[in-house]
Amino acid sequence: MIKLVSFGDDLVKGTYKVHSRFNEVVNFCSGSSFVFIVNNSIGGGPFNIVADDVKFSELENLVITEDHFQLNDEKIFFEFSKRYDSKIKVMNFDEKKFFQNLDHFEKALIDNSSGKSLTFLLDESRKKNFKSSYEIELVRRFNSALECFTSSNFVEGVKLIKGIGFGLTPSGDDFISGFLLALNCLQKFYAVDYSELIRHIYEAAKGNNAFTNAFLLAAKNGYLFEKFKNLIHSILYSGQNEILENTRTLISFGETSGADQGVGFLFGIKRNLK
Amino acid sequence: MIVTGILKRGEYFDSVSLMLIAKKISELEIVLDSAAVMGTPENKSMLQTSGLLTDELQNADDIDLMIAYKCNSQNESDLISKKINEFLKKSDNTNKSSGSLNPSSLESALKILPDANLAMISVAGKYAGDEAMKALQNGLNVMLFSDNVSVEKEIELKQFAKEKGLFVMGPDCGTAIINGVPLAFANVVNRGNIGIAAASGTGLQEVSCLISNSGCGISQAIGTGGRDVKKDVGGIMFLEGIKALAEDKNTGVILLISKPPADEVIIKIIEVVKKIEKPIVGVFLNSPIELFENSKITIAKTLEEGALLAVAYSKKENIEKVFQKINKRDLELKALAEKESAKVNKNQIYLRALFSGGTFCDETQMIFQNVDKDVFSNTPVGRVKKLKDIWKSEKHTIIDLGDDEFTVGRPHPMIDYSTRNKRILAEANDPETAVILLDIVLGYGSNMDPLAEIIPVLNEVKKITSKQKRYLPVICSVTGTEKDPQNRTTVAAALSAEEVLVMDSNAAASKLAKFLIEKKR
């Protein structure tokens, strides 16, 4: 019997079919909506249903209704206490601490992430890991995009990097979703309005890949997956050790996805505060 | 030159598998250039710029996997294509295995294997404790590979297990050999009459291999996890392990391995062994030997000494011969150190020891305690000082690359050599490095092709030092046996061919490094 651990706060009602299946995750889709059935080690998210005792290899059908979901033939009711909150709440924003901790995050990211991640944007020496002609072109495009960002030409920059790079969600899209999350956070920290910029970036980044679009949409709306939310919490309120731990947890997501999103977040914060 | 594109329609591989496949393709010698990415329009444009976009890949959609590569001939292309399909198939099997042999819970696993008596648990730490309790309640012994289990949970599990007459090996237990079956990081060793209780994974691997290579064998090797012998847990399973080995009719000699136990635990160990008739050897690295005076335990200073003493007891030989043999061998090491030190420049004065095995790091620190006041480590013991920055060596530096700081988000360095390889090159570039000391641990769980990882780096070291007109000795111990899948003789011979000074044990390797450093002072 499936045991519900948590369910996302942005689940869309509908009848879903399997999109892709891995050891600890089954991704379901219905049109442009996604629901991810995951185990505890993946954690919560706006579209995640976290459950124990799931036979991932046997999942075929999913129906989401107002008060329950049905996986194959098993019906499980949503309990409000298990609703995952994907929004971050900022109570006391200590700018000095935040910036100190951001430096710890940057260092942790560089020290711990895969050689093929976008951390070469933070540490030039990591460019040496990019050797094939495809990888060299990837570096070149990111450098061009950063020049666009520096001159506030965000949409052009986004167009240069969207859809490029490694992984199921390409590195460029991960970077953009991190950047969008940064803008959403800055809105909360400084009570500024970036909604137009967020909308433009999202529109420029959207592609034909519904799976990637789902992540971009979540980032546009400021919905955070648990690993990223924990990281931002530690940057706001904790110290170096917790940041290191949460950075390591974040970058364990995919080969480079977590790290790439982290780099996008750092750039989003630093660039826009300049 | 030929460019080939392979399009896998609608096939999803997780990012880790995709990167692994890409890495394997690029490592094929006949591949001149390659990429493995999803079929987004932007990635297609990137492949075009890189000269890797073929007609077939033009048709890729966002959800398709594109693999492109460049090589010299059609024959090579066919060969590469075959290899790629093998990689994909393997990855697919790894990720999507299903059916009754892939149970999703302990309950369903027990339905498939109702006679099982041991559960191996390797899930995230915060869930591992509950899974372990579930296994114990089902009457199973537990090997708890997971770390990050709270000490309170560990005590609860171990007390419950003790009451039920079961074992909990771990948390953070990486090695055990039960009824001849190596579990997790373990070697293929002879079976015999030496039983081991160990609160140290690498320590257990080292002694079990040395025993096996000496012609003797292991009855049982019980790991407990390092925290078991500390004050909080109080040695619950270490003590139960000793009692079980004492009662085991196939065990004639007991060998105990641990980093320093708490004083209270030492007292309990001494009390428990009083009633045991079998010979007992103890290696308690960095513990004050005087605590064991008048106990029944023959104390060994190093893992090597412990293994050889256990062998002597097993063969019913005079143990004095062990000390004589080690002394004689140490004289040979001193002579070798003298020759080596004559080859290095006068400003090369420091040791740089880079370990994948944590216990080796401790053992080497112990051997280096009195060599110099400036010995540093990321996991200091005794008089050794804490490194300010783990990524940068200071004077004599002894590093455990398996420590958490180095491994989160990456496989253990016994599997993934990349972090250590980078560090080896950094140390080789330092003109003050007098000797590099390494370990290579073979067996199940470890890298299956260590030579492919280490030899290119050793060649790079030679290039660096010869360019700077220096000689830099590299000393390496190889922990393993002939029966290990990697084969110890093959690995040791290949390293020797690269002028590495290969030693049978970490103690011997560390002593050679120590003698060499002392000659330089």
Side-chain angles (χ1 to χ4, degrees):
Chain A
M1 187 173 158
I2 294 169
K3 290 178 197 153
L4 177 65
V5 176
S6 77
F7 63 95
D9 52 358
D10 197 30
L11 297 179
V12 177
K13 282 182 273 182
T15 301
Y16 289 77
K17 291 282 175 202
V18 173
H19 170 273
S20 44
R21 188 195 301 275
F22 304 104
N23 263 355
E24 298 170 334
V25 179
V26 178
N27 301 321
F28 282 91
C29 71
S30 171
S32 61
S33 299
F34 275 79
V35 175
F36 308 139
I37 308 290
V38 303
N39 77 3
N40 259 322
S41 66
I42 306 286
F47 328 121
N48 289 13
I49 292 178
V50 185
D52 269 344
D53 293 338
V54 178
K55 293 176 180 170
F56 288 98
S57 59
E58 294 173 12
L59 298 184
E60 291 301 337
N61 301 300
L62 170 70
V63 177
I64 304 276
T65 72
E66 187 68 38
D67 64 351
H68 73 270
F69 67 99
Q70 187 168 331
L71 256 177
N72 290 358
D73 297 326
E74 201 168 336
K75 189 173 172 180
I76 297 115
F77 282 91
F78 293 126
E79 295 166 53
F80 187 75
S81 61
K82 292 182 177 172
R83 186 172 186 267
Y84 169 75
D85 180 3
S86 62
K87 292 277 187 181
I88 193 150
K89 290 178 183 60
V90 183
M91 290 162 290
N92 302 306
F93 178 58
D94 177 346
E95 188 177 48
K96 192 177 162 202
K97 181 172 189 167
F98 179 71
F99 278 94
Q100 272 173 357
N101 281 345
L102 216 53
D103 289 340
H104 293 318
F105 171 48
E106 181 168 344
K107 184 176 184 311
L109 203 52
I110 294 169
D111 288 346
N112 293 283
S113 54
S114 153
K116 300 280 187 189
S117 71
L118 298 179
T119 42
F120 70 82
L121 295 169
L122 306 171
D123 174 6
E124 287 264 321
S125 69
R126 292 173 73 92
K127 280 185 184 167
K128 64 176 185 291
N129 298 315
F130 291 73
K131 291 174 187 158
S132 73
S133 53
Y134 175 88
E135 290 166 355
I136 291 164
E137 176 64 12
L138 184 88
V139 171
R140 193 190 67 73
R141 287 214 191 181
F142 266 96
N143 284 334
S144 304
L146 287 197
E147 282 173 25
C148 291
F149 284 12
T150 308
S151 55
S152 295
N153 196 353
F154 294 106
V155 170
E156 279 311 304
V158 164
K159 283 181 180 169
L160 278 170
I161 57 174
K162 71 177 242 190
I164 67 170
F166 313 111
L168 189 57
T169 53
S171 317
D173 295 340
D174 290 326
F175 178 93
I176 296 165
S177 70
F179 196 90
L180 288 170
L181 288 172
L183 293 176
N184 271 299
C185 285
L186 289 174
Q187 292 194 130
K188 293 199 170 182
F189 302 161
Y190 292 100
V192 288
D193 182 6
Y194 282 123
S195 57
E196 274 301 289
L197 179 59
I198 289 172
R199 193 175 61 77
H200 284 306
I201 290 176
Y202 169 69
E203 290 300 330
K206 255 193 325 182
N208 297 325
N209 185 342
F211 186 65
T212 302
N213 288 346
F215 284 99
L216 287 168
L217 182 63
K220 177 202 163 223
N221 293 330
Y223 292 146
L224 293 154
F225 286 82
E226 193 174 355
K227 289 175 181 173
F228 212 98
K229 186 175 168 179
N230 290 343
L231 172 70
I232 295 175
H233 253 281
S234 61
I235 295 174
L236 282 171
Y237 304 118
S238 302
Q240 192 171 2
N241 290 341
E242 203 163 323
I243 292 166
L244 179 63
E245 191 183 321
N246 283 314
T247 305
R248 287 166 168 172
T249 309
L250 174 72
I251 63 177
S252 68
F253 182 67
E255 174 68 15
T256 64
S257 282
D260 296 342
Q261 210 179 22
V263 175
F265 179 79
L266 264 175
F267 268 87
I269 297 283
K270 291 193 168 177
R271 166 65 191 85
N272 289 293
L273 280 183
K274 275 183 190 168
Chain B
M1 204 170 300
I2 284 181
V3 178
T4 308
I6 298 176
L7 182 60
K8 294 285 171 186
R9 285 215 178 269
E11 289 199 22
Y12 289 98
F13 293 85
D14 64 76
S15 301
V16 178
S17 303
L18 274 178
M19 291 293 278
L20 201 62
I21 291 165
K23 183 170 181 269
K24 282 182 174 174
I25 297 168
S26 68
E27 282 172 355
L28 294 170
E29 269 184 29
I30 49 179
V31 170
L32 304 173
D33 196 4
S34 65
V37 289
M38 300 305 287
T40 61
E42 296 80 12
N43 270 335
K44 283 193 271 185
S45 136
M46 297 256 296
L47 289 182
Q48 183 146 37
T49 313
S50 314
L52 287 169
L53 188 69
T54 63
D55 288 346
E56 183 165 18
L57 298 183
Q58 300 266 19
N59 300 321
D61 287 325
D62 291 54
I63 56 166
D64 301 331
L65 172 62
M66 303 190 293
I67 299 172
Y69 56 89
K70 216 179 257 184
C71 59
N72 280 320
S73 70
Q74 189 58 48
N75 281 348
E76 285 184 356
S77 173
D78 294 343
L79 192 67
I80 294 163
S81 171
K82 199 175 154 195
K83 284 272 179 201
I84 289 172
N85 281 320
E86 282 170 18
F87 298 153
L88 291 171
K89 198 174 166 197
K90 202 171 170 189
S91 180
D92 198 40
N93 288 339
T94 310
N95 286 324
K96 297 169 188 172
S97 58
S98 59
S100 61
L101 289 177
N102 187 19
S104 58
S105 66
L106 185 70
E107 290 79 7
S108 50
L110 278 171
K111 278 181 195 158
I112 297 166
L113 273 177
D115 297 330
N117 64 359
L118 186 145
M120 180 151 173
I121 294 172
S122 176
V123 297
K126 59 180 169 176
Y127 313 114
D130 291 342
E131 288 300 317
M133 183 55 86
K134 225 188 280 178
L136 291 170
Q137 284 163 345
N138 278 283
L140 299 173
N141 297 288
V142 168
M143 180 169 181
L144 193 46
F145 189 76
S146 313
D147 55 4
N148 293 318
V149 175
S150 71
V151 71
E152 294 79 16
K153 193 75 190 175
E154 179 175 353
I155 294 167
E156 183 194 340
L157 291 169
K158 288 185 169 173
Q159 280 172 344
F160 183 83
K162 189 181 166 185
E163 282 166 22
K164 299 276 174 192
L166 295 168
F167 268 100
V168 175
M169 297 184 280
D172 202 13
C173 176
T175 306
I177 304 168
I178 304 297
N179 296 333
V181 180
L183 299 173
F185 287 96
N187 303 81
V188 187
V189 299
N190 297 334
R191 295 208 70 181
N193 75 340
I194 300 173
I196 305 170
S200 146
T202 317
L204 197 161
Q205 285 192 266
E206 172 87 330
V207 295
S208 62
C209 289
L210 290 170
I211 288 167
S212 191
N213 294 340
S214 300
C216 288
I218 306 301
S219 53
Q220 306 287 352
I222 301 165
T224 66
R227 209 166 51 187
D228 188 88
V229 292
K230 301 300 173 194
K231 188 179 170 186
D232 289 337
V233 185
I236 301 173
M237 281 298 136
F238 199 81
L239 297 168
E240 289 303 301
I242 297 172
K243 289 179 202 164
L245 293 174
E247 285 168 17
D248 177 28
K249 63 178 181 352
N250 294 318
T251 297
V253 179
I254 297 172
L255 175 55
L256 309 177
I257 309 290
S258 173
K259 295 175 191 179
D263 288 355
E264 300 89 320
V265 178
I266 292 178
I267 292 166
K268 288 184 200 168
I269 293 170
I270 291 171
E271 196 55 37
V272 166
V273 300
K274 271 184 189 168
K275 299 160 201 157
I276 298 173
E277 296 300 320
K278 299 172 183 179
I280 303 169
V281 179
V283 187
F284 298 100
L285 290 174
N286 291 301
S287 283
I289 288 175
E290 55 273 19
L291 290 176
F292 293 92
E293 268 174 18
N294 303 321
S295 81
K296 285 191 70 176
I297 304 172
T298 307
I299 292 294
K301 291 188 288 296
T302 64
L303 296 165
E304 176 192 52
E305 198 174 291
L308 296 181
L309 284 170
V311 166
Y313 278 123
S314 175
K315 290 181 176 172
K316 302 197 186 318
E317 290 173 352
N318 183 350
I319 61 164
E320 283 308 313
K321 282 187 181 168
V322 171
F323 299 113
Q324 286 165 10
K325 188 179 164 189
I326 291 175
N327 287 339
K328 191 178 164 214
R329 193 276 321 275
D330 287 354
L331 288 175
E332 289 165 8
L333 291 180
K334 278 183 181 164
L336 178 58
E338 191 155 359
K339 275 188 202 163
E340 289 294 313
S341 71
K343 293 190 227 166
V344 303
N345 292 345
K346 64 177 179 189
N347 54 342
Q348 288 178 256
I349 48 178
Y350 294 126
L351 164 79
R352 299 293 152 80
L354 308 172
F355 290 111
S356 59
T359 309
F360 291 155
C361 184
D362 285 10
E363 186 175 52
T364 302
Q365 288 185 56
M366 186 194 75
I367 289 168
F368 266 80
Q369 290 276 316
N370 299 317
V371 171
D372 195 300
K373 65 180 172 43
D374 289 321
V375 182
F376 293 84
S377 176
N378 60 326
T379 54
V381 288
R383 286 178 217 154
V384 173
K385 298 173 190 167
K386 175 91 175 159
L387 267 180
K388 283 189 200 88
D389 178 355
I390 59 163
W391 301 98
K392 204 174 161 201
S393 294
E394 290 177 66
K395 299 190 176 174
H396 301 291
T397 293
I398 303 168
I399 298 275
D400 172 12
L401 287 138
D403 197 46
D404 289 349
E405 293 166 305
F406 288 104
T407 56
V408 177
R410 285 197 182 88
H412 192 277
M414 286 181 193
I415 304 167
D416 179 353
Y417 283 39
S418 56
T419 305
R420 179 162 75 170
N421 284 348
K422 273 187 222 159
R423 188 70 175 248
I424 291 172
L425 295 179
E427 304 303 355
N429 267 308
D430 183 345
E432 290 191 317
T433 303
V435 57
I436 290 179
L437 175 60
L438 306 172
D439 62 337
I440 288 184
V441 181
L442 309 179
Y444 289 114
S446 293
N447 191 306
M448 282 297 139
D449 192 4
L451 294 172
E453 301 282 344
I454 194 78
I455 299 286
V457 178
L458 295 172
N459 287 329
E460 197 60 31
V461 168
K462 274 191 237 165
K463 274 186 209 162
I464 292 167
T465 49
S466 82
K467 204 172 170 187
Q468 296 175 11
K469 298 192 172 20
R470 283 190 286 128
Y471 168 73
L472 177 59
V474 177
I475 303 171
C476 182
S477 67
V478 180
T479 301
T481 70
E482 296 310 289
K483 294 178 196 166
D484 278 331
Q486 303 92 336
N487 188 287
R488 188 185 183 279
T489 303
T490 306
V491 172
L495 290 171
S496 298
E498 297 296 331
E499 297 167 12
V500 173
L501 302 161
V502 180
M503 296 289 124
D504 288 338
S505 68
N506 180 62
S510 301
K511 284 179 183 174
L512 176 58
K514 177 188 161 192
F515 297 148
L516 200 154
I517 293 291
E518 284 174 339
K519 287 280 166 200
K520 291 294 297 173
R521 296 178 71 220

